[in-house]
Every structure is written in structure tokens, then in C-alpha cells.
Amino acid sequence: MKFQKQIFGFMDMLRFKQLVPNRRKALASGADTPLPKRYRVNELAKALHPGRMQVEVTALRPLTDRMTELTFRRVDGDAFPFFRAGQYVSLQGTVEGSVVSRPYSISSSPREALENKLTLGVENAGFFSEYLNRQVKVGDRFLMTEPAGEFHYETLRDQKQIVCVAGGSGITPFLSMAKSRKEGDESYEMILFYGARDEAHLAYKAELDALAAEGAVKVVYVLSDETREGYEHGFVSAELMAKYADLQKVTFFLCGPAAMYAFIAKELAPLHLPVKAVRKDATCCGNRTVENPRTFTLTVHIRDKVYTVPAREDETLLAAMERAGIQAPNKCRAGGCGYCHSKWLGGEFVVAEGRDGRRAADRKFGFVHPCVTYPQADMEIDVPPAE
Ligand code: FES
């Protein structure tokens, strides 16, 4: 036994002696073609996650008296990344000296993105949206984030049949979802309840009717202020929806104003549905109501720069920074994506009710989401640079 060990040890020594010459031989006989400069996996990652893109408006189309459709192309000529129907992009521009950005759900389909075309249906509500509705021109350029968001169908989580409820400009993600269904990229059965005051305020009606005729979606229009044959009337109640679907066997997708969410929540409460059965698209966190709002000083660190800006207690820290022309990172503006995640260095604050999307560790180690945080005293934060 001892003898055998010695033999093996001796052979190992011989092999070790040959190690360097063997390696030289292998290197000499290897191919001398240069290593590739581009790898497929990196190219794919770049195509799917381009970060922020410079985009240009290529067409404008009025949808209703309060909504305009904007069509964009990428200035570098690349395709937009493929996305999940229902997701949003954040559009950023400079209006009257302020850097402003807002998230908008995409109304075009993921396949149209591959043809360097992406559309947004923007309602005239708020500073930036009003600018996009009234003043923007073909050829104007903006920055746009890559598509993001969790408001999309998930086979493992959601029921085969989905009931979508849209109010106002909330129709846009559902148009994309119906198109994606038609193009064969999604397999759900979709019923869409689209509520509006009257027929004139139904955006994308011709497109929705065409998609319905092709079997991609069943659309039920619900008018609250006008009576017309072929339409449902009133509000999108549980009783109305139950005429078209078994409400215990569907997943709800809701996109519209907060009042619509509150109404539907009340309507669905008696059904005792599991939480995952109702999906809501997040809305931007805007100003809050405060009588005689105080103005504090917000000190912002971004890398080696320090800015001092006024911050009102009725506006978010993000809004205060943007008003002062500071480019702060943001996407959802609703507390959920974590993209604006910043280190808190001092000062009291409150977080908008129901919007605190921070993880427990973030709360413990002093991080805030400026898009949903309102100052209650002078504050100091360290913000990551916008890409
Ligand atoms: S922008 Fe998404 S959490 Fe603040």
C-alpha cells in the first residue's frame, strides 16, 4: 500500500514537470483569431435594458377633447425594447426651466416597439401632461426610461379570464394588452369595461371595436351621463360585471382615477376575493392638501455636489428637486419601483398614506423614496445621480 502511494506520488511529480511545456504546446496550437468584441448575451441585455433613451415625437393625434396620442421613435434608430403589455415608461423633459417627468402607460403593442414605434395616450391633467397636450410638436425630443412596472398579466398568478376596468386615460394599458392578445403574445381571455361620461370621451373606440371584431377582447362601454343604444349605463358595478363573467373565477385589472378604485373596492368587498385577484395600476403621488403650507430647506447631495432648494410641505421631495432644476432619478412616482431610493441624512418627514413601498431594511437604515415623501422640517438627503 505504501509502495503504491509512492508510485502515484512519483507520477504526479512527472506530470507536474510537464505542466509548463504542455501548456505552451496547447497555447501554440490554439486558434489565433481575436476574441469577439461583442457577445450575444450582452447585446440582448442591452436591447432589453437600454436605460434612458432619447426619443422624438413623430405624430400627434387628438383622441378626445382631453386626451392626445403621442407617437415616438428612438433618435438612435434602434428598436424600443420588447415589454409586457400593461407596462409604462417615464417621459422626461424641461418645461419652463423645470425638469419634469411623468410615467405613462404604453398604448402600443410590444411588437410595434420592435419597429421603433411607441405610443402614449396622455390626458390633459397636470403641469407636464398639459404641456404634452397643448404645446408639444412633431420633432420635439425627450428622454424616456425603458418600460417598467408590474401591471401586466402573469400566467402563474392570474386567472385565465381577466376582467379589466378602465376609467378616462386608464384605457391605454388595456389597448396594449388587447393588441398583444391579438398578436398571439398573450393567452388570456379579456373582458374590458370602459367607463366614460359619454361616447365622445371614449378614447381609442375605433381600435377597440376592431380588436373586439377580431376576438381579441370583449368590450363593454359604460356611459354615466348619456343614454345610447348598445351601451351599458351608470357605473361599472359588481352587478354589471357579473352579467358578463363569473367574478369568483377572474383576475381584475383596474386602471383609472382613485375614485374608481374606491368604488370598485366597495363593490367587490362582499365577494371576499383574495388580494391577488385585484390588480391596480399605480397612480402618481401628487401634492397633498395642507392649509397654509410651510416652506423648508432641502439640502441635496448628488455625488460631490450639494444643492439647497426650497421644499413646501404639501409637495414631495422629488417635486421640490425638479422645480429647482435638479435631475433626480425616478420612474413610477408612486413609491413602488424604488428607483428614486435615497439616503436620509436628517429632518422630519411623512410618507404619503398607503404609498410606503420601502423594504423593512430601508426603513431601518434610513432610506426614503422622495417621490412619496413630504418634508415636515428642513431636510437633508443623498440622492443617486440620474443615469
Ligand atoms: S420613483 Fe418609483 S419609488 Fe420613487
Side-chain angles (χ1 to χ4, degrees):
M1 205 57 178
K2 197 175 168 200
F3 175 71
Q4 277 182 340
K5 264 192 197 164
Q6 280 175 344
I7 290 273
F8 286 127
F10 180 68
M11 286 174 69
D12 279 348
M13 287 292 288
L14 280 181
R15 276 196 213 105
F16 184 71
K17 246 181 108 185
Q18 289 305 308
L19 197 67
V20 173
N22 282 347
R23 186 178 292 161
R24 285 202 179 117
K25 224 191 301 174
L27 286 172
S29 63
D32 59 358
T33 44
L35 288 173
K37 292 214 167 50
R38 295 146 72 124
Y39 290 91
R40 236 181 104 228
V41 66
N42 292 351
E43 294 292 307
L44 181 63
K46 208 170 133 218
L48 288 173
H49 302 290
R52 289 206 294 181
M53 305 164 279
Q54 200 183 23
V55 297
E56 184 177 276
V57 178
T58 58
L60 293 163
R61 176 166 70 116
L63 296 169
T64 66
D65 65 348
R66 286 188 54 77
M67 258 180 96
T68 303
E69 183 188 72
L70 293 90
T71 304
F72 295 91
R73 72 169 187 94
R74 276 179 74 163
V75 172
D76 60 13
D78 284 350
F80 283 102
F82 196 76
F83 61 92
R84 297 297 307 271
Q87 290 190 304
Y88 69 88
V89 289
S90 178
L91 196 66
Q92 184 190 88
T94 304
V95 183
E96 294 171 17
S98 296
V99 181
V100 273
S101 60
R102 285 289 176 279
Y104 296 106
S105 295
I106 305 167
S107 56
S108 47
S109 76
R111 289 201 186 204
E112 287 173 281
L114 301 180
E115 294 157 14
N116 195 8
K117 179 184 171 193
L118 190 138
T119 64
L120 306 176
V122 178
E123 186 172 20
N124 186 358
F127 181 57
F128 191 36
S129 300
E130 186 178 335
Y131 172 81
L132 294 175
N133 266 272
R134 300 275 178 249
Q135 295 184 47
V136 83
K137 301 179 296 303
V138 169
D140 284 356
R141 291 184 174 186
F142 297 89
L143 280 178
M144 182 184 276
T145 63
E146 63 193 36
E150 302 302 318
F151 191 71
H152 57 75
Y153 185 75
E154 199 52 73
T155 321
L156 291 176
R157 178 197 54 209
D158 300 323
Q159 299 280 3
K160 173 90 176 155
Q161 191 173 55
I162 58 173
V163 165
C164 305
V165 185
S169 61
I171 190 59
T172 49
F174 299 132
L175 181 65
S176 182
M177 287 168 76
K179 284 179 175 178
S180 191
R181 171 77 181 79
K182 187 199 126 189
E183 289 168 356
D185 292 323
E186 300 284 4
S187 57
Y188 39 70
E189 292 161 18
M190 182 175 176
I191 304 178
L192 170 63
F193 293 87
Y194 184 8
R197 266 189 288 152
D198 49 37
E199 192 185 47
H201 286 91
L202 292 169
Y204 289 119
K205 184 167 182 305
E207 287 88 340
L208 290 168
D209 287 345
L211 287 161
E214 290 174 286
V217 59
K218 159 105 187 124
V219 189
V220 181
Y221 299 108
V222 187
L223 303 181
S224 60
D225 293 8
E226 185 185 26
T227 307
R228 265 180 184 270
E229 207 181 316
Y231 290 75
E232 293 284 0
H233 297 94
F235 294 103
V236 184
S237 62
E239 189 187 349
L240 173 66
M241 291 188 279
K243 276 169 60 180
Y244 295 88
D246 180 345
L247 303 188
Q248 293 286 357
K249 293 186 179 158
V250 300
T251 299
F252 292 86
F253 282 76
L254 316 179
C255 187
M260 185 189 99
Y261 291 168
F263 177 79
I264 303 264
K266 224 166 77 192
E267 287 291 304
L268 297 183
L271 301 178
H272 304 293
L273 299 171
V275 175
K276 69 170 186 175
V278 184
R279 321 271 335 281
K280 285 184 280 186
D281 201 11
T283 49
C284 270
C285 183
N287 284 10
R288 65 187 186 132
T289 313
V290 179
E291 234 177 89
N292 304 321
R294 296 168 289 173
T295 300
F296 303 111
T297 299
L298 173 65
T299 306
V300 182
H301 298 257
I302 300 182
R303 286 213 176 112
D304 56 347
K305 294 207 166 61
V306 183
Y307 307 86
T308 306
V309 303
R312 291 199 323 255
E313 67 175 319
D314 63 338
E315 69 180 358
T316 63
L317 301 180
L318 178 61
M321 288 189 279
E322 288 181 334
R323 200 163 31 75
I326 298 174
Q327 282 207 29
N330 69 89
K331 268 189 189 172
C332 71
R333 304 180 78 95
C337 74
Y339 200 66
C340 63
H341 182 257
S342 300
K343 182 86 179 92
W344 171 82
L345 301 174
E348 272 178 56
F349 63 87
V350 287
V351 177
E353 208 187 322
R355 303 275 197 164
D356 197 348
R358 292 175 298 168
R359 293 169 301 177
D362 288 338
R363 283 198 289 272
K364 183 171 170 192
F365 295 109
F367 284 88
V368 290
H369 290 172
C371 67
V372 291
T373 303
Y374 301 95
Q376 289 294 281
D378 290 345
M379 282 190 72
E380 191 166 355
I381 54 174
D382 189 355
V383 176
E387 283 165 16

